Amino acid sequence: MRFRATIQNVPTFYRLIQTVEKLQKKCIINFSETSMRIICNQEEGGVHVWSKIRIDALFTDYRILSHSNNEITLNLPTDALSTALRSASAEHTGANEVVMKLAKKKNVPVLSFEIFGTTQMGRRVKVAHDVRIEVMKPADVALLTEPRCPEPDVQIMLPPLTKMRGVIERMRNLSDVIAVRANSSGCLRLSASTEVVKADITWNNCSHPRMTGDNPSQARAGAEDGRGEEDREPEPERPDPTHLFSVLVHARSLLKFLNAHAVSKTTIACICQGHCLILFVYIGDSTDVGGVLTFYIPSVLDD
């Protein structure tokens, strides 16, 4: 088993792990020949993450070899990984090359980070960080499954996550449960209430993206598909575009998701009414999506 890569985009990798670190103490990272997956299988009732990032969006000189279809899956602590990447991304290190590789130190498997930089005096220096890991067995990897959800009732482009975070932090003072509502006319509404007061925050004219195929990176904000009217298949009857579909979620779960503001440029929310909220955080520019962080937030049962 061999693995080695030069991290070309250290800041983005660091922000990804920063986001995951806020969710749980450990995460699973699967490396294959074409992609890296970051997986957080949170305890029941928590936030799940299942992401996929293109290798060329983060790495160069990428080499992987294993007996499991050239895939390697690691279980590792998020705080130690975040510390290593923070050191590599810090401006004062003068880092000009960061190499990540599998190694063994005192017969303990580690993910080793070698940071090569230059001092102000022009001397080349090397800093190393080792993150202790568990290499997962193929049988255990096979048990990892993405959460199964019904077809979304509506999907909508979210406003900037930093703005949403401020709103939800204030709403949490009213209630730990927040209703997320949206319709296909571009209305997004967040609601929190108590026995004596209710607060609603509404965004109008939000884009209503289409999710084509099974790949969320193919989402398009209302763009036409280019076919003529005579080539289109008859569309099923659509529900009232002003009808608001809703899901109740814990405010703390939303706030955990909103830590993704550090990496998000475009975020799409999908509401599966009464079941869950699915959030796609796109990495990179809209014209060159490097990957997607997918968050699953389960619904709170409405008694």
Side-chain angles (χ1 to χ4, degrees):
M1 182 182 296
R2 296 180 182 178
F3 175 76
R4 179 187 175 95
T6 298
I7 307 176
Q8 176 180 253
N9 195 340
V10 176
T12 297
F13 196 5
Y14 174 48
R15 289 194 293 268
L16 284 169
I17 300 305
Q18 264 190 312
T19 300
V20 172
E21 184 186 6
K22 300 296 196 306
L23 294 176
Q24 60 185 57
K25 295 180 179 179
K26 284 193 170 185
C27 71
I28 295 169
I29 299 183
N30 168 268
F31 294 101
S32 71
E33 293 178 320
T34 58
S35 66
M36 177 183 75
R37 294 183 183 270
I38 302 175
I39 301 168
C40 292
N41 282 350
Q42 185 60 275
E43 70 279 358
E44 185 176 354
V47 181
H48 296 248
V49 176
W50 192 280
S51 61
K52 184 176 182 180
I53 299 98
R54 287 200 333 257
I55 290 302
D56 60 5
L58 295 178
F59 308 111
T60 60
D61 193 23
Y62 183 87
R63 288 170 279 174
I64 186 169
L65 182 66
S66 79
H67 294 299
S68 301
N69 297 319
N70 287 338
E71 291 191 17
I72 298 173
T73 305
L74 311 176
N75 195 335
L76 68 172
T78 53
D79 57 349
L81 182 56
S82 179
T83 297
L85 290 169
R86 180 169 64 246
S87 178
S89 63
E91 293 182 2
H92 67 269
T93 63
N96 47 44
E97 184 182 14
V98 181
V99 175
M100 177 178 66
K101 61 183 181 181
L102 282 181
K104 277 194 174 183
K105 300 293 178 69
K106 297 182 180 179
N107 210 34
V108 175
V110 297
L111 189 60
S112 180
F113 293 82
E114 296 178 345
I115 305 164
F116 300 92
T118 305
T119 67
Q120 293 181 346
M121 302 297 292
R123 295 177 56 188
R124 185 169 170 81
V125 295
K126 173 184 171 182
V127 178
H129 287 271
D130 294 328
V131 178
R132 297 185 65 166
I133 60 173
E134 173 195 351
V135 179
M136 295 182 63
K137 298 177 181 178
D140 294 328
V141 175
L143 297 176
L144 298 174
T145 56
E146 193 166 359
R148 299 185 65 178
C149 303
E151 191 72 19
D153 295 292
V154 67
Q155 48 265 348
I156 195 165
M157 199 85 72
L158 294 186
L161 299 190
T162 50
K163 293 184 179 180
M164 290 190 66
R165 183 176 182 86
V167 169
I168 292 171
E169 284 176 341
R170 292 193 293 272
M171 283 186 162
R172 191 180 182 185
N173 294 328
L174 289 177
S175 173
D176 186 48
V177 176
I178 292 179
V180 181
R181 298 185 173 93
N183 63 26
S184 57
S185 294
C187 175
L188 171 68
R189 181 173 299 160
L190 303 180
S191 304
S193 62
T194 66
E195 294 180 354
V196 295
V197 65
K198 179 179 180 182
D200 288 330
I201 301 294
T202 301
W203 286 271
N204 291 310
N205 301 317
C206 297
S207 297
H208 178 57
R210 299 177 185 175
M211 312 292 278
T212 60
D214 297 324
N215 187 353
S217 66
Q218 297 174 4
R220 296 180 297 169
E224 293 295 337
D225 60 11
R227 292 185 296 171
E229 292 293 335
E230 67 279 2
D231 298 326
R232 297 174 187 266
E233 296 179 359
E235 294 187 0
E237 185 177 348
R238 295 182 178 181
D240 179 0
T242 64
H243 175 73
L244 290 167
F245 294 96
S246 66
V247 63
L248 297 176
V249 295
H250 286 295
R252 62 178 180 271
S253 296
L254 275 178
L255 288 172
K256 286 182 178 181
F257 150 71
L258 287 167
N259 287 307
H261 72 84
V263 73
S264 169
K265 290 188 177 180
T266 301
T267 304
I268 294 175
C270 297
I271 293 177
C272 303
Q273 181 160 290
H275 186 85
C276 70
L277 179 65
I278 310 173
L279 301 133
F280 298 106
V281 177
Y282 293 83
I283 302 163
D285 297 326
S286 58
T287 56
D288 183 25
V289 176
V292 182
L293 276 172
T294 306
F295 293 77
Y296 297 87
I297 303 179
S299 172
V300 177
L301 295 179
D302 187 5
D303 297 329

